[in-house]
Amino acid sequence: MDAEAEQIREVYAYYGAAMFHAQVLERQIAMLLATVFRRVKTQEEYDRELEANFQKTLGKLVNELLRLGASETLMNDLALDLRLALETRNMLAHKFFWQRAATFITFDGRTAMLAELNQFMALFIRLDGVLTGLTDAWAAKHGLTNELLTKGQPLPPD
């Protein structure tokens, strides 16, 4: 494979990785809403809420998270980043290659695209880490370890 073909392949791989991390962030927000900000009392209600959250768009999840966490200082600090992540994900899904069609045909253009995709991944990964930390702290506070969760441990009462 020549250098150009290898770089084109790398752009597609990085794009796929960026979209993967956007989806990981999306799922993390859905889980955070069903745990830390939940309004459910039973395992069945939790399961239903989680499934409903998994059906929502990233935009709806971000807006709900910001609305429910509006009084939380951390959410206020994350609001701009969450909105940026939403805009970035939407641009990736709907416009990324179209807007860069001319860029994609040059080596330097593809190099710039790779750097851009790395930045997008870093944003999604960082936000996922912060939100995972909130979910993990909630679970620890309620005595839920990974081992218990994988065994289907019922949710604790608030």
Side-chain angles (χ1 to χ4, degrees), residues 64-142:
E64 185 175 351
L65 178 60
L66 293 176
R67 183 178 51 79
L68 291 174
S71 64
E72 301 288 329
T73 303
L74 182 59
M75 284 299 111
N76 289 334
D77 292 344
L78 288 176
L80 288 175
D81 283 343
L82 286 167
R83 287 189 178 100
L84 176 61
L86 173 60
E87 289 172 19
T88 302
R89 181 262 171 218
N90 288 343
M91 182 275 298
L92 276 171
H94 304 291
K95 302 175 187 175
F96 183 75
F97 283 104
W98 182 253
Q99 289 178 340
R100 289 156 185 78
T103 304
F104 189 66
I105 63 173
T106 69
F107 185 85
D108 289 341
R110 289 188 299 273
T111 299
M113 290 171 72
L114 289 168
E116 198 175 21
L117 289 164
N118 266 325
Q119 289 176 338
F120 300 157
M121 277 190 281
L123 172 66
F124 299 142
I125 291 168
R126 181 176 57 78
L127 286 173
D128 176 56
V130 171
L131 298 180
T132 297
L134 294 175
T135 305
D136 289 348
W138 176 87
K141 177 182 171 185
H142 291 88

